[in-house]
Amino acid sequence: MSSPVSLLDFTFAGIGERLAVDGVNPRHARPLWGALHRELSVDVENRDDFPAPLRAWLADHFGHDVTLDRPEITATTASDDGLTRKLLLRLDDGAEIETVLMGYRGRTTVCLSTQVGCAMGCVFCATGQMGFTRHLRPGEIVAQVHHARRLLRSLGQNGPRNLVLMGMGEPLHNYDAVLRALDIISDTGGLNIGPGRISVSTVGLVPAIRRFTAERQPYQLAVSLHAATDEERSALLPINVRWPLEELLAACREHAATTGRRLFFGWTLIEGKNDTPSDARRVADLLAGLDAHVNLIPLNPTAGYAGRTTGLAAARTFQTVLRTAGLACTIRERRGIDVAAGCGQLRATVV
Ligand code: SAH
Ligand code: SF4
């Protein structure tokens, strides 16, 4: 027998199709969907309010060929300022991932993991330093949003308002599961987080970016750039050897031309490596003509990389060069560094 499938892996349409295959009217998908993604209920078996055919279907299948992902929170750490919370989640096979909640003026952005570890090996990233264990299933990505929303509800808050796929893993390496999860998360009858508020960050998997473009995926795309020459980029991001800057930028321009949407670029600032005004000018040349927003991320410390972070003054100079060249550019606030919840620090350890 094949292994059971989680109800959280299904899209709304998928539940309807599955019910129909089993001879149940697909309109009964609606109450089940509401229980799962609006109430965030984890008990679908003892529901007197469900219609009888749905109750009968659950009695036949739940716990056998259909289950429910319930990653457990094994630790919650809050940063000293209380604005960042890191959840350590244990999956059903014992693997661990992290989800980070970041509060900004009453609005919360949640940073989701898409894999256990990462295969891309970027030298300054703690997740890359731990290597790749496995892809997450759609339900394991959706469950992270459930946990975040439950936590916010318990604090009397709404949200999350925005999602960034910038936790552990390379989202486009796990393309199908990630896009299915986003379909589930953005469903207006469920969690209802709009596609424009969801940002997918990639290290630069060119064929996957092309597919994302061709499929007209409605989510924001962020590309991690970090260097403006192939030699420098390949030294930081091994994937650049396979898909160098010229191909990456061509895929970016194709995305911009096809979707008409602004592209986001990540630039981790490393002292003496990629943080000088002349580096900034090369970035401006590379992105010339694109509607682009560059996010500068001062390097966060990780055990496996000795590089040092750029000071605020140099970051501001870098920003000014890009802005003068007509690019949008912000410096990302450093968040949650004291609890190792900053960008690139996630490796499932309890601090
Ligand atoms: N795999 C995807 C998304 C997760 S990483 C990607 O690489 O884009 C999210 C962002 O954090 C990326 O831009 C990544 O380059 C950056 N990052 C990784 N390690 C970092 C570190 N130690 N300090 C600051 N940013 C880091
Ligand atoms: Fe993976 Fe992104 Fe870390 Fe690179 S920066 S190792 S792609 S998670």
Side-chain angles (χ1 to χ4, degrees):
M1 202 181 101
S2 60
S3 58
V5 45
S6 169
L7 284 172
L8 295 191
D9 286 336
F10 285 96
T11 60
F12 177 62
I15 293 190
E17 284 158 20
R18 171 65 202 258
L19 291 177
V21 165
D22 292 335
V24 179
N25 190 322
R27 74 186 157 86
H28 296 314
R30 180 60 63 195
L32 180 55
W33 191 255
L36 293 171
H37 297 293
R38 283 196 170 263
E39 289 173 35
L40 311 181
S41 173
V42 289
D43 179 7
V44 292
E45 289 178 292
N46 303 296
R47 300 281 307 216
D48 296 341
D49 55 328
F50 281 173
L54 178 59
R55 288 209 309 270
W57 180 79
L58 286 164
D60 284 347
H61 296 280
F62 195 79
H64 307 289
D65 52 343
V66 171
T67 57
L68 193 57
D69 277 314
R70 295 187 56 183
E72 242 185 283
I73 300 183
T74 51
T76 307
T77 357
S79 60
D80 288 341
D81 59 14
L83 295 174
T84 303
R85 283 190 182 76
K86 183 167 82 165
L87 309 181
L88 184 66
L89 302 180
R90 187 166 52 222
L91 309 177
D92 52 15
D93 63 352
E96 290 185 313
I97 54 164
E98 296 184 338
T99 304
V100 180
L101 285 79
M102 298 166 286
Y104 297 94
R105 294 186 206 94
R107 290 173 175 167
T108 301
T109 295
V110 170
C111 182
L112 302 177
S113 292
T114 57
Q115 297 177 318
V116 183
C118 183
M120 300 299 143
C122 306
V123 296
F124 50 72
C125 172
T127 310
Q129 290 157 14
M130 71 188 270
F132 177 74
T133 304
R134 72 167 172 90
H135 292 304
L136 294 188
R137 288 183 285 100
E140 292 170 329
I141 299 169
V142 173
Q144 295 175 62
V145 184
H146 283 191
H147 273 303
R149 183 161 284 181
R150 277 190 205 105
L151 181 69
L152 292 171
R153 276 186 188 171
S154 74
L155 300 169
Q157 295 172 18
N158 291 322
R161 186 175 191 269
N162 298 293
L163 299 179
V164 291
L165 277 64
M166 297 187 185
M168 296 167 70
E170 164 53 39
L172 296 189
H173 182 209
N174 187 14
Y175 194 97
D176 291 329
V178 165
L179 271 297
R180 169 106 69 98
L182 295 185
D183 186 347
I184 296 166
I185 291 164
S186 57
D187 185 276
T188 52
L191 289 160
N192 192 23
I193 299 176
R197 295 195 169 155
I198 300 177
S199 185
V200 177
S201 180
T202 178
V203 68
L205 300 185
V206 168
I209 293 174
R210 292 230 158 90
R211 179 174 168 198
F212 192 84
T213 304
E215 293 175 353
R216 302 279 202 281
Q217 293 293 349
Y219 313 101
Q220 305 213 48
L221 184 63
V223 175
S224 296
L225 203 54
H226 310 314
T229 66
D230 280 323
E231 194 186 350
E232 288 170 5
R233 195 166 188 269
S234 296
L236 296 173
L237 281 55
I239 198 69
N240 189 69
V241 175
R242 184 94 176 267
W243 288 296
L245 279 167
E246 193 179 332
E247 287 181 54
L248 176 59
L249 267 297
C252 290
R253 287 180 192 283
E254 189 182 301
H255 182 269
T258 308
T259 64
R261 283 202 305 273
R262 168 170 282 196
L263 261 172
F264 292 77
F265 290 92
W267 189 277
T268 294
L269 288 164
I270 310 169
E271 190 182 65
K273 284 242 179 235
N274 65 357
D275 67 345
T276 65
S278 63
D279 288 314
R281 276 187 288 274
R282 281 186 293 155
V283 181
D285 288 345
L286 210 56
L287 303 183
L290 267 176
D291 178 12
H293 182 130
V294 181
N295 250 316
L296 302 176
I297 319 164
L299 179 76
N300 293 318
T302 58
Y305 184 64
R308 292 210 320 211
T309 190
T310 296
L312 193 60
R316 289 234 185 279
T317 305
F318 199 98
Q319 180 186 35
T320 304
V321 173
L322 291 188
R323 285 187 169 166
T324 307
L327 292 162
C329 179
T330 45
I331 303 173
R332 191 168 298 163
E333 267 180 77
R334 300 190 82 205
R335 287 307 196 95
I337 309 307
D338 52 336
V339 288
C343 296
Q345 292 187 306
L346 305 185
R347 55 172 301 142
T349 49
V350 186
V351 179

mmCIF file with all atom_site columns, all heavy atoms in Angstrom, residues 115 117-129 166-171 201-203 224 226 237 344, ligand 2:
data_model
loop_
_atom_site.group_PDB
_atom_site.id
_atom_site.type_symbol
_atom_site.label_atom_id
_atom_site.label_alt_id
_atom_site.label_comp_id
_atom_site.label_asym_id
_atom_site.label_entity_id
_atom_site.label_seq_id
_atom_site.pdbx_PDB_ins_code
_atom_site.Cartn_x
_atom_site.Cartn_y
_atom_site.Cartn_z
_atom_site.occupancy
_atom_site.B_iso_or_equiv
_atom_site.pdbx_formal_charge
_atom_site.auth_seq_id
_atom_site.auth_comp_id
_atom_site.auth_asym_id
_atom_site.auth_atom_id
_atom_site.pdbx_PDB_model_num
ATOM   1   N  N   . GLN A 1 115 ? 12.721 23.157 2.602  1.00 0.00 ? 115 GLN A N   1
ATOM   2   C  CA  . GLN A 1 115 ? 13.451 21.889 2.587  1.00 0.00 ? 115 GLN A CA  1
ATOM   3   C  C   . GLN A 1 115 ? 14.075 21.677 3.968  1.00 0.00 ? 115 GLN A C   1
ATOM   4   O  O   . GLN A 1 115 ? 14.254 22.635 4.723  1.00 0.00 ? 115 GLN A O   1
ATOM   5   C  CB  . GLN A 1 115 ? 14.591 21.937 1.555  1.00 0.00 ? 115 GLN A CB  1
ATOM   6   C  CG  . GLN A 1 115 ? 14.116 22.120 0.118  1.00 0.00 ? 115 GLN A CG  1
ATOM   7   C  CD  . GLN A 1 115 ? 15.279 22.227 -0.860 1.00 0.00 ? 115 GLN A CD  1
ATOM   8   O  OE1 . GLN A 1 115 ? 16.270 22.891 -0.583 1.00 0.00 ? 115 GLN A OE1 1
ATOM   9   N  NE2 . GLN A 1 115 ? 15.146 21.576 -2.004 1.00 0.00 ? 115 GLN A NE2 1
ATOM   10  N  N   . GLY A 1 117 ? 17.397 21.306 5.341  1.00 0.00 ? 117 GLY A N   1
ATOM   11  C  CA  . GLY A 1 117 ? 18.727 21.564 4.791  1.00 0.00 ? 117 GLY A CA  1
ATOM   12  C  C   . GLY A 1 117 ? 18.612 22.185 3.411  1.00 0.00 ? 117 GLY A C   1
ATOM   13  O  O   . GLY A 1 117 ? 17.548 22.662 3.010  1.00 0.00 ? 117 GLY A O   1
ATOM   14  N  N   . CYS A 1 118 ? 19.726 22.193 2.687  1.00 0.00 ? 118 CYS A N   1
ATOM   15  C  CA  . CYS A 1 118 ? 19.731 22.757 1.336  1.00 0.00 ? 118 CYS A CA  1
ATOM   16  C  C   . CYS A 1 118 ? 20.914 22.180 0.574  1.00 0.00 ? 118 CYS A C   1
ATOM   17  O  O   . CYS A 1 118 ? 21.990 21.990 1.139  1.00 0.00 ? 118 CYS A O   1
ATOM   18  C  CB  . CYS A 1 118 ? 19.843 24.280 1.389  1.00 0.00 ? 118 CYS A CB  1
ATOM   19  S  SG  . CYS A 1 118 ? 19.755 25.034 -0.259 1.00 0.00 ? 118 CYS A SG  1
ATOM   20  N  N   . ALA A 1 119 ? 20.692 21.918 -0.704 1.00 0.00 ? 119 ALA A N   1
ATOM   21  C  CA  . ALA A 1 119 ? 21.728 21.281 -1.524 1.00 0.00 ? 119 ALA A CA  1
ATOM   22  C  C   . ALA A 1 119 ? 22.642 22.284 -2.212 1.00 0.00 ? 119 ALA A C   1
ATOM   23  O  O   . ALA A 1 119 ? 23.568 21.884 -2.910 1.00 0.00 ? 119 ALA A O   1
ATOM   24  C  CB  . ALA A 1 119 ? 21.060 20.388 -2.575 1.00 0.00 ? 119 ALA A CB  1
ATOM   25  N  N   . MET A 1 120 ? 22.386 23.584 -2.045 1.00 0.00 ? 120 MET A N   1
ATOM   26  C  CA  . MET A 1 120 ? 23.060 24.566 -2.899 1.00 0.00 ? 120 MET A CA  1
ATOM   27  C  C   . MET A 1 120 ? 24.431 24.996 -2.379 1.00 0.00 ? 120 MET A C   1
ATOM   28  O  O   . MET A 1 120 ? 25.227 25.565 -3.126 1.00 0.00 ? 120 MET A O   1
ATOM   29  C  CB  . MET A 1 120 ? 22.169 25.800 -3.100 1.00 0.00 ? 120 MET A CB  1
ATOM   30  C  CG  . MET A 1 120 ? 20.835 25.474 -3.748 1.00 0.00 ? 120 MET A CG  1
ATOM   31  S  SD  . MET A 1 120 ? 21.059 24.753 -5.388 1.00 0.00 ? 120 MET A SD  1
ATOM   32  C  CE  . MET A 1 120 ? 19.730 23.548 -5.428 1.00 0.00 ? 120 MET A CE  1
ATOM   33  N  N   . GLY A 1 121 ? 24.693 24.759 -1.094 1.00 0.00 ? 121 GLY A N   1
ATOM   34  C  CA  . GLY A 1 121 ? 26.051 24.943 -0.573 1.00 0.00 ? 121 GLY A CA  1
ATOM   35  C  C   . GLY A 1 121 ? 26.607 26.353 -0.589 1.00 0.00 ? 121 GLY A C   1
ATOM   36  O  O   . GLY A 1 121 ? 27.838 26.523 -0.648 1.00 0.00 ? 121 GLY A O   1
ATOM   37  N  N   . CYS A 1 122 ? 25.777 27.368 -0.513 1.00 0.00 ? 122 CYS A N   1
ATOM   38  C  CA  . CYS A 1 122 ? 26.299 28.736 -0.455 1.00 0.00 ? 122 CYS A CA  1
ATOM   39  C  C   . CYS A 1 122 ? 27.165 28.855 0.801  1.00 0.00 ? 122 CYS A C   1
ATOM   40  O  O   . CYS A 1 122 ? 26.746 28.436 1.891  1.00 0.00 ? 122 CYS A O   1
ATOM   41  C  CB  . CYS A 1 122 ? 25.159 29.746 -0.436 1.00 0.00 ? 122 CYS A CB  1
ATOM   42  S  SG  . CYS A 1 122 ? 24.026 29.485 -1.822 1.00 0.00 ? 122 CYS A SG  1
ATOM   43  N  N   . VAL A 1 123 ? 28.360 29.417 0.634  1.00 0.00 ? 123 VAL A N   1
ATOM   44  C  CA  . VAL A 1 123 ? 29.366 29.266 1.693  1.00 0.00 ? 123 VAL A CA  1
ATOM   45  C  C   . VAL A 1 123 ? 29.016 29.987 2.990  1.00 0.00 ? 123 VAL A C   1
ATOM   46  O  O   . VAL A 1 123 ? 29.428 29.569 4.066  1.00 0.00 ? 123 VAL A O   1
ATOM   47  C  CB  . VAL A 1 123 ? 30.774 29.717 1.217  1.00 0.00 ? 123 VAL A CB  1
ATOM   48  C  CG1 . VAL A 1 123 ? 31.265 28.835 0.085  1.00 0.00 ? 123 VAL A CG1 1
ATOM   49  C  CG2 . VAL A 1 123 ? 30.785 31.188 0.806  1.00 0.00 ? 123 VAL A CG2 1
ATOM   50  N  N   . PHE A 1 124 ? 28.235 31.078 2.889  1.00 0.00 ? 124 PHE A N   1
ATOM   51  C  CA  . PHE A 1 124 ? 27.982 31.883 4.098  1.00 0.00 ? 124 PHE A CA  1
ATOM   52  C  C   . PHE A 1 124 ? 26.670 31.528 4.783  1.00 0.00 ? 124 PHE A C   1
ATOM   53  O  O   . PHE A 1 124 ? 26.251 32.200 5.714  1.00 0.00 ? 124 PHE A O   1
ATOM   54  C  CB  . PHE A 1 124 ? 27.998 33.378 3.752  1.00 0.00 ? 124 PHE A CB  1
ATOM   55  C  CG  . PHE A 1 124 ? 27.127 33.738 2.568  1.00 0.00 ? 124 PHE A CG  1
ATOM   56  C  CD1 . PHE A 1 124 ? 25.761 33.723 2.667  1.00 0.00 ? 124 PHE A CD1 1
ATOM   57  C  CD2 . PHE A 1 124 ? 27.718 34.080 1.350  1.00 0.00 ? 124 PHE A CD2 1
ATOM   58  C  CE1 . PHE A 1 124 ? 24.962 34.051 1.587  1.00 0.00 ? 124 PHE A CE1 1
ATOM   59  C  CE2 . PHE A 1 124 ? 26.917 34.402 0.260  1.00 0.00 ? 124 PHE A CE2 1
ATOM   60  C  CZ  . PHE A 1 124 ? 25.538 34.392 0.370  1.00 0.00 ? 124 PHE A CZ  1
ATOM   61  N  N   . CYS A 1 125 ? 25.995 30.487 4.323  1.00 0.00 ? 125 CYS A N   1
ATOM   62  C  CA  . CYS A 1 125 ? 24.657 30.164 4.818  1.00 0.00 ? 125 CYS A CA  1
ATOM   63  C  C   . CYS A 1 125 ? 24.677 28.919 5.704  1.00 0.00 ? 125 CYS A C   1
ATOM   64  O  O   . CYS A 1 125 ? 25.178 27.870 5.303  1.00 0.00 ? 125 CYS A O   1
ATOM   65  C  CB  . CYS A 1 125 ? 23.729 29.941 3.621  1.00 0.00 ? 125 CYS A CB  1
ATOM   66  S  SG  . CYS A 1 125 ? 22.106 29.322 4.076  1.00 0.00 ? 125 CYS A SG  1
ATOM   67  N  N   . ALA A 1 126 ? 24.111 29.050 6.914  1.00 0.00 ? 126 ALA A N   1
ATOM   68  C  CA  . ALA A 1 126 ? 24.118 27.925 7.856  1.00 0.00 ? 126 ALA A CA  1
ATOM   69  C  C   . ALA A 1 126 ? 23.338 26.733 7.311  1.00 0.00 ? 126 ALA A C   1
ATOM   70  O  O   . ALA A 1 126 ? 23.713 25.576 7.531  1.00 0.00 ? 126 ALA A O   1
ATOM   71  C  CB  . ALA A 1 126 ? 23.536 28.368 9.198  1.00 0.00 ? 126 ALA A CB  1
ATOM   72  N  N   . THR A 1 127 ? 22.252 27.006 6.589  1.00 0.00 ? 127 THR A N   1
ATOM   73  C  CA  . THR A 1 127 ? 21.467 25.898 6.033  1.00 0.00 ? 127 THR A CA  1
ATOM   74  C  C   . THR A 1 127 ? 22.283 25.177 4.967  1.00 0.00 ? 127 THR A C   1
ATOM   75  O  O   . THR A 1 127 ? 22.295 23.943 4.904  1.00 0.00 ? 127 THR A O   1
ATOM   76  C  CB  . THR A 1 127 ? 20.151 26.424 5.417  1.00 0.00 ? 127 THR A CB  1
ATOM   77  O  OG1 . THR A 1 127 ? 19.490 27.262 6.354  1.00 0.00 ? 127 THR A OG1 1
ATOM   78  C  CG2 . THR A 1 127 ? 19.239 25.278 5.051  1.00 0.00 ? 127 THR A CG2 1
ATOM   79  N  N   . GLY A 1 128 ? 22.973 25.950 4.135  1.00 0.00 ? 128 GLY A N   1
ATOM   80  C  CA  . GLY A 1 128 ? 23.837 25.351 3.121  1.00 0.00 ? 128 GLY A CA  1
ATOM   81  C  C   . GLY A 1 128 ? 24.953 24.536 3.754  1.00 0.00 ? 128 GLY A C   1
ATOM   82  O  O   . GLY A 1 128 ? 25.324 23.465 3.263  1.00 0.00 ? 128 GLY A O   1
ATOM   83  N  N   . GLN A 1 129 ? 25.461 25.024 4.879  1.00 0.00 ? 129 GLN A N   1
ATOM   84  C  CA  . GLN A 1 129 ? 26.564 24.330 5.551  1.00 0.00 ? 129 GLN A CA  1
ATOM   85  C  C   . GLN A 1 129 ? 26.126 22.972 6.110  1.00 0.00 ? 129 GLN A C   1
ATOM   86  O  O   . GLN A 1 129 ? 26.938 22.076 6.297  1.00 0.00 ? 129 GLN A O   1
ATOM   87  C  CB  . GLN A 1 129 ? 27.131 25.214 6.684  1.00 0.00 ? 129 GLN A CB  1
ATOM   88  C  CG  . GLN A 1 129 ? 27.898 26.441 6.165  1.00 0.00 ? 129 GLN A CG  1
ATOM   89  C  CD  . GLN A 1 129 ? 27.982 27.579 7.182  1.00 0.00 ? 129 GLN A CD  1
ATOM   90  O  OE1 . GLN A 1 129 ? 27.707 27.386 8.371  1.00 0.00 ? 129 GLN A OE1 1
ATOM   91  N  NE2 . GLN A 1 129 ? 28.336 28.765 6.717  1.00 0.00 ? 129 GLN A NE2 1
ATOM   92  N  N   . MET A 1 166 ? 12.112 32.298 2.514  1.00 0.00 ? 166 MET A N   1
ATOM   93  C  CA  . MET A 1 166 ? 13.531 32.603 2.712  1.00 0.00 ? 166 MET A CA  1
ATOM   94  C  C   . MET A 1 166 ? 14.082 31.873 3.931  1.00 0.00 ? 166 MET A C   1
ATOM   95  O  O   . MET A 1 166 ? 15.090 32.274 4.499  1.00 0.00 ? 166 MET A O   1
ATOM   96  C  CB  . MET A 1 166 ? 13.740 34.113 2.899  1.00 0.00 ? 166 MET A CB  1
ATOM   97  C  CG  . MET A 1 166 ? 13.336 34.935 1.689  1.00 0.00 ? 166 MET A CG  1
ATOM   98  S  SD  . MET A 1 166 ? 13.781 36.667 1.903  1.00 0.00 ? 166 MET A SD  1
ATOM   99  C  CE  . MET A 1 166 ? 13.051 37.377 0.426  1.00 0.00 ? 166 MET A CE  1
ATOM   100 N  N   . GLY A 1 167 ? 13.390 30.823 4.354  1.00 0.00 ? 167 GLY A N   1
ATOM   101 C  CA  . GLY A 1 167 ? 13.877 30.042 5.482  1.00 0.00 ? 167 GLY A CA  1
ATOM   102 C  C   . GLY A 1 167 ? 14.852 28.982 4.985  1.00 0.00 ? 167 GLY A C   1
ATOM   103 O  O   . GLY A 1 167 ? 15.613 29.219 4.044  1.00 0.00 ? 167 GLY A O   1
ATOM   104 N  N   . MET A 1 168 ? 14.797 27.804 5.599  1.00 0.00 ? 168 MET A N   1
ATOM   105 C  CA  . MET A 1 168 ? 15.715 26.746 5.172  1.00 0.00 ? 168 MET A CA  1
ATOM   106 C  C   . MET A 1 168 ? 15.298 26.232 3.801  1.00 0.00 ? 168 MET A C   1
ATOM   107 O  O   . MET A 1 168 ? 14.133 25.948 3.556  1.00 0.00 ? 168 MET A O   1
ATOM   108 C  CB  . MET A 1 168 ? 15.666 25.604 6.190  1.00 0.00 ? 168 MET A CB  1
ATOM   109 C  CG  . MET A 1 168 ? 16.164 26.038 7.574  1.00 0.00 ? 168 MET A CG  1
ATOM   110 S  SD  . MET A 1 168 ? 15.770 24.838 8.857  1.00 0.00 ? 168 MET A SD  1
ATOM   111 C  CE  . MET A 1 168 ? 16.856 23.503 8.407  1.00 0.00 ? 168 MET A CE  1
ATOM   112 N  N   . GLY A 1 169 ? 16.275 26.085 2.927  1.00 0.00 ? 169 GLY A N   1
ATOM   113 C  CA  . GLY A 1 169 ? 16.024 25.438 1.646  1.00 0.00 ? 169 GLY A CA  1
ATOM   114 C  C   . GLY A 1 169 ? 15.923 26.372 0.466  1.00 0.00 ? 169 GLY A C   1
ATOM   115 O  O   . GLY A 1 169 ? 15.779 27.588 0.613  1.00 0.00 ? 169 GLY A O   1
ATOM   116 N  N   . GLU A 1 170 ? 16.019 25.785 -0.719 1.00 0.00 ? 170 GLU A N   1
ATOM   117 C  CA  . GLU A 1 170 ? 15.904 26.522 -1.970 1.00 0.00 ? 170 GLU A CA  1
ATOM   118 C  C   . GLU A 1 170 ? 14.528 26.196 -2.569 1.00 0.00 ? 170 GLU A C   1
ATOM   119 O  O   . GLU A 1 170 ? 14.299 25.087 -3.069 1.00 0.00 ? 170 GLU A O   1
ATOM   120 C  CB  . GLU A 1 170 ? 17.045 26.095 -2.913 1.00 0.00 ? 170 GLU A CB  1
ATOM   121 C  CG  . GLU A 1 170 ? 16.863 26.463 -4.375 1.00 0.00 ? 170 GLU A CG  1
ATOM   122 C  CD  . GLU A 1 170 ? 16.550 27.936 -4.635 1.00 0.00 ? 170 GLU A CD  1
ATOM   123 O  OE1 . GLU A 1 170 ? 17.120 28.813 -3.972 1.00 0.00 ? 170 GLU A OE1 1
ATOM   124 O  OE2 . GLU A 1 170 ? 15.706 28.194 -5.516 1.00 0.00 ? 170 GLU A OE2 1
ATOM   125 N  N   . PRO A 1 171 ? 13.596 27.165 -2.515 1.00 0.00 ? 171 PRO A N   1
ATOM   126 C  CA  . PRO A 1 171 ? 12.212 26.884 -2.921 1.00 0.00 ? 171 PRO A CA  1
ATOM   127 C  C   . PRO A 1 171 ? 12.082 26.304 -4.332 1.00 0.00 ? 171 PRO A C   1
ATOM   128 O  O   . PRO A 1 171 ? 11.291 25.394 -4.559 1.00 0.00 ? 171 PRO A O   1
ATOM   129 C  CB  . PRO A 1 171 ? 11.523 28.256 -2.850 1.00 0.00 ? 171 PRO A CB  1
ATOM   130 C  CG  . PRO A 1 171 ? 12.385 29.106 -2.001 1.00 0.00 ? 171 PRO A CG  1
ATOM   131 C  CD  . PRO A 1 171 ? 13.764 28.547 -2.035 1.00 0.00 ? 171 PRO A CD  1
ATOM   132 N  N   . SER A 1 201 ? 12.069 33.357 -2.881 1.00 0.00 ? 201 SER A N   1
ATOM   133 C  CA  . SER A 1 201 ? 13.472 33.746 -3.069 1.00 0.00 ? 201 SER A CA  1
ATOM   134 C  C   . SER A 1 201 ? 14.264 32.580 -3.628 1.00 0.00 ? 201 SER A C   1
ATOM   135 O  O   . SER A 1 201 ? 14.185 31.456 -3.121 1.00 0.00 ? 201 SER A O   1
ATOM   136 C  CB  . SER A 1 201 ? 14.061 34.179 -1.719 1.00 0.00 ? 201 SER A CB  1
ATOM   137 O  OG  . SER A 1 201 ? 15.411 34.549 -1.865 1.00 0.00 ? 201 SER A OG  1
ATOM   138 N  N   . THR A 1 202 ? 15.034 32.834 -4.679 1.00 0.00 ? 202 THR A N   1
ATOM   139 C  CA  . THR A 1 202 ? 15.823 31.749 -5.274 1.00 0.00 ? 202 THR A CA  1
ATOM   140 C  C   . THR A 1 202 ? 17.282 32.136 -5.408 1.00 0.00 ? 202 THR A C   1
ATOM   141 O  O   . THR A 1 202 ? 17.623 33.297 -5.646 1.00 0.00 ? 202 THR A O   1
ATOM   142 C  CB  . THR A 1 202 ? 15.283 31.342 -6.663 1.00 0.00 ? 202 THR A CB  1
ATOM   143 O  OG1 . THR A 1 202 ? 16.141 30.306 -7.195 1.00 0.00 ? 202 THR A OG1 1
ATOM   144 C  CG2 . THR A 1 202 ? 15.257 32.511 -7.635 1.00 0.00 ? 202 THR A CG2 1
ATOM   145 N  N   . VAL A 1 203 ? 18.140 31.123 -5.305 1.00 0.00 ? 203 VAL A N   1
ATOM   146 C  CA  . VAL A 1 203 ? 19.575 31.317 -5.469 1.00 0.00 ? 203 VAL A CA  1
ATOM   147 C  C   . VAL A 1 203 ? 19.922 31.501 -6.953 1.00 0.00 ? 203 VAL A C   1
ATOM   148 O  O   . VAL A 1 203 ? 21.031 31.907 -7.283 1.00 0.00 ? 203 VAL A O   1
ATOM   149 C  CB  . VAL A 1 203 ? 20.314 30.112 -4.841 1.00 0.00 ? 203 VAL A CB  1
ATOM   150 C  CG1 . VAL A 1 203 ? 20.052 28.836 -5.650 1.00 0.00 ? 203 VAL A CG1 1
ATOM   151 C  CG2 . VAL A 1 203 ? 21.788 30.348 -4.699 1.00 0.00 ? 203 VAL A CG2 1
ATOM   152 N  N   . SER A 1 224 ? 18.668 35.914 -5.350 1.00 0.00 ? 224 SER A N   1
ATOM   153 C  CA  . SER A 1 224 ? 19.833 36.196 -4.512 1.00 0.00 ? 224 SER A CA  1
ATOM   154 C  C   . SER A 1 224 ? 21.048 36.389 -5.412 1.00 0.00 ? 224 SER A C   1
ATOM   155 O  O   . SER A 1 224 ? 21.485 35.452 -6.073 1.00 0.00 ? 224 SER A O   1
ATOM   156 C  CB  . SER A 1 224 ? 20.057 35.035 -3.541 1.00 0.00 ? 224 SER A CB  1
ATOM   157 O  OG  . SER A 1 224 ? 18.952 34.942 -2.665 1.00 0.00 ? 224 SER A OG  1
ATOM   158 N  N   . HIS A 1 226 ? 24.274 38.730 -4.798 1.00 0.00 ? 226 HIS A N   1
ATOM   159 C  CA  . HIS A 1 226 ? 25.471 38.727 -3.930 1.00 0.00 ? 226 HIS A CA  1
ATOM   160 C  C   . HIS A 1 226 ? 26.804 39.059 -4.587 1.00 0.00 ? 226 HIS A C   1
ATOM   161 O  O   . HIS A 1 226 ? 27.780 39.336 -3.887 1.00 0.00 ? 226 HIS A O   1
ATOM   162 C  CB  . HIS A 1 226 ? 25.642 37.407 -3.176 1.00 0.00 ? 226 HIS A CB  1
ATOM   163 C  CG  . HIS A 1 226 ? 24.415 36.939 -2.467 1.00 0.00 ? 226 HIS A CG  1
ATOM   164 N  ND1 . HIS A 1 226 ? 23.636 37.766 -1.692 1.00 0.00 ? 226 HIS A ND1 1
ATOM   165 C  CD2 . HIS A 1 226 ? 23.805 35.719 -2.432 1.00 0.00 ? 226 HIS A CD2 1
ATOM   166 C  CE1 . HIS A 1 226 ? 22.624 37.074 -1.206 1.00 0.00 ? 226 HIS A CE1 1
ATOM   167 N  NE2 . HIS A 1 226 ? 22.695 35.843 -1.642 1.00 0.00 ? 226 HIS A NE2 1
ATOM   168 N  N   . LEU A 1 237 ? 28.536 31.206 -4.277 1.00 0.00 ? 237 LEU A N   1
ATOM   169 C  CA  . LEU A 1 237 ? 27.344 30.414 -4.606 1.00 0.00 ? 237 LEU A CA  1
ATOM   170 C  C   . LEU A 1 237 ? 27.730 29.396 -5.691 1.00 0.00 ? 237 LEU A C   1
ATOM   171 O  O   . LEU A 1 237 ? 27.746 29.722 -6.879 1.00 0.00 ? 237 LEU A O   1
ATOM   172 C  CB  . LEU A 1 237 ? 26.239 31.332 -5.176 1.00 0.00 ? 237 LEU A CB  1
ATOM   173 C  CG  . LEU A 1 237 ? 25.378 32.182 -4.244 1.00 0.00 ? 237 LEU A CG  1
ATOM   174 C  CD1 . LEU A 1 237 ? 26.180 33.064 -3.337 1.00 0.00 ? 237 LEU A CD1 1
ATOM   175 C  CD2 . LEU A 1 237 ? 24.399 33.019 -5.048 1.00 0.00 ? 237 LEU A CD2 1
ATOM   176 N  N   . GLY A 1 344 ? 19.907 33.202 6.751  1.00 0.00 ? 344 GLY A N   1
ATOM   177 C  CA  . GLY A 1 344 ? 21.073 32.336 6.594  1.00 0.00 ? 344 GLY A CA  1
ATOM   178 C  C   . GLY A 1 344 ? 21.586 31.722 7.877  1.00 0.00 ? 344 GLY A C   1
ATOM   179 O  O   . GLY A 1 344 ? 22.590 31.025 7.876  1.00 0.00 ? 344 GLY A O   1
HETATM 180 FE FE1 . SF4 B 2 .   ? 20.356 27.219 0.166  1.00 0.00 ? 2   SF4 B FE1 1
HETATM 181 FE FE2 . SF4 B 2 .   ? 19.582 29.787 0.006  1.00 0.00 ? 2   SF4 B FE2 1
HETATM 182 FE FE3 . SF4 B 2 .   ? 21.277 28.953 1.932  1.00 0.00 ? 2   SF4 B FE3 1
HETATM 183 FE FE4 . SF4 B 2 .   ? 22.107 29.077 -0.595 1.00 0.00 ? 2   SF4 B FE4 1
HETATM 184 S  S1  . SF4 B 2 .   ? 21.463 30.784 0.690  1.00 0.00 ? 2   SF4 B S1  1
HETATM 185 S  S2  . SF4 B 2 .   ? 22.495 27.374 0.818  1.00 0.00 ? 2   SF4 B S2  1
HETATM 186 S  S3  . SF4 B 2 .   ? 20.261 28.439 -1.675 1.00 0.00 ? 2   SF4 B S3  1
HETATM 187 S  S4  . SF4 B 2 .   ? 19.158 28.325 1.695  1.00 0.00 ? 2   SF4 B S4  1
#
